[in-house]
Amino acid sequence: MIEKILLVQTLKRLPRMGWLIKGVQEPESIADHSFGVAFITLVLADVLEKRGKRIDVEKALKMAIVHDLAEAIITDIPLSAQEFVDKDKAEALVFKKVFPEFYELYREYQECSSPEAQLVRIADKLDMILQAYQYELSGNKNLDEFWEAIEEIKRLELSKYLEDILNSVGRLKA
């Protein structure tokens, strides 16, 4: 158990590679991102509950916390590298071999097969978009590709309950 905890703590030191490639100095760590995803999941779960959509908050939070655990071993493989490396296959293998107790949560997240998985996917993309916004406010350029994730979010069934929030986020770019 301690070995797994120590392994996961490497996420505190591993930067998100997409930001590095785009020239962001001292980008957030994978652990920073995971915290953001968990917090956004918590906030949006409350919004969804108030709008009549039942969410298993504990399950969603667990999924948010573990969704990037495999990156402690394979690191954060940026989109530009995913043409050459099967990230999903590598992550699934890490979960099966190193974190089997979380494999089903990971698989559900990857497949977006539940409202909780869709919520975490939305939170994952929103955290990235809002981080891009923060970096742009700090003077970083050429981060437009990160904003494209708003369209991916809108294709998810659960997004219809969050349309006003998604529109507000989209207006930040304008």
Side-chain angles (χ1 to χ4, degrees):
M1 177 179 78
I2 296 301
E3 294 82 13
K4 285 185 184 183
I5 293 170
L6 290 171
L7 175 62
V8 170
Q9 285 193 330
T10 63
L11 295 173
K12 295 177 182 180
R13 297 185 307 277
L14 292 173
R16 300 259 291 159
M17 294 304 297
W19 303 128
L20 275 179
I21 289 170
K22 290 296 186 177
V24 173
Q25 300 293 313
E26 299 183 37
E28 68 175 337
S29 71
I30 297 167
D32 293 331
H33 167 68
S34 293
F35 172 79
V37 173
F39 184 74
I40 293 169
T41 296
L42 184 63
V43 170
L44 292 182
D46 188 52
V47 169
L48 290 166
E49 291 276 344
K50 288 176 180 166
R51 293 179 179 181
K53 184 64 179 168
R54 175 78 179 103
I55 297 292
D56 180 339
V57 178
E58 180 180 349
K59 179 180 176 183
L61 285 172
K62 285 179 181 179
M63 198 177 290
I65 290 167
V66 306
H67 85 283
D68 280 334
L69 285 185
E71 294 181 13
I73 293 175
I74 66 168
T75 73
D76 180 30
I77 301 172
L79 282 176
S80 58
Q82 291 180 33
E83 177 182 347
F84 307 99
V85 177
D86 191 339
K87 179 183 178 193
D88 293 339
K89 187 175 180 180
E91 285 183 348
L93 188 58
V94 170
F95 272 96
K96 285 179 184 176
K97 289 189 170 208
V98 182
F99 303 109
E101 64 273 32
F102 301 123
Y103 176 73
E104 287 304 315
L105 280 174
Y106 163 78
R107 187 183 55 74
E108 189 175 321
Y109 169 76
Q110 284 300 100
E111 295 171 359
C112 269
S113 59
S114 68
E116 293 78 16
Q118 287 189 30
L119 170 58
V120 176
R121 181 65 54 92
I122 290 167
D124 180 52
K125 299 301 180 189
L126 280 178
D127 182 71
M128 180 184 69
I129 293 165
L130 294 171
Q131 188 63 60
Y133 176 68
Q134 293 292 327
Y135 288 144
E136 288 174 344
L137 289 177
S138 298
N140 290 278
K141 308 272 186 242
N142 302 317
L143 303 179
D144 290 345
E145 73 184 68
F146 297 99
W147 289 85
E148 294 170 11
I150 200 87
E151 295 306 316
E152 181 181 337
I153 292 170
K154 289 179 179 179
R155 288 192 292 270
L156 296 171
E157 175 70 20
L158 198 64
S159 71
K160 68 183 177 187
Y161 295 93
L162 303 168
E163 193 172 331
D164 59 325
I165 294 169
L166 299 176
N167 288 337
S168 293
V169 170
R171 284 193 294 275
L172 293 173
K173 185 63 176 163

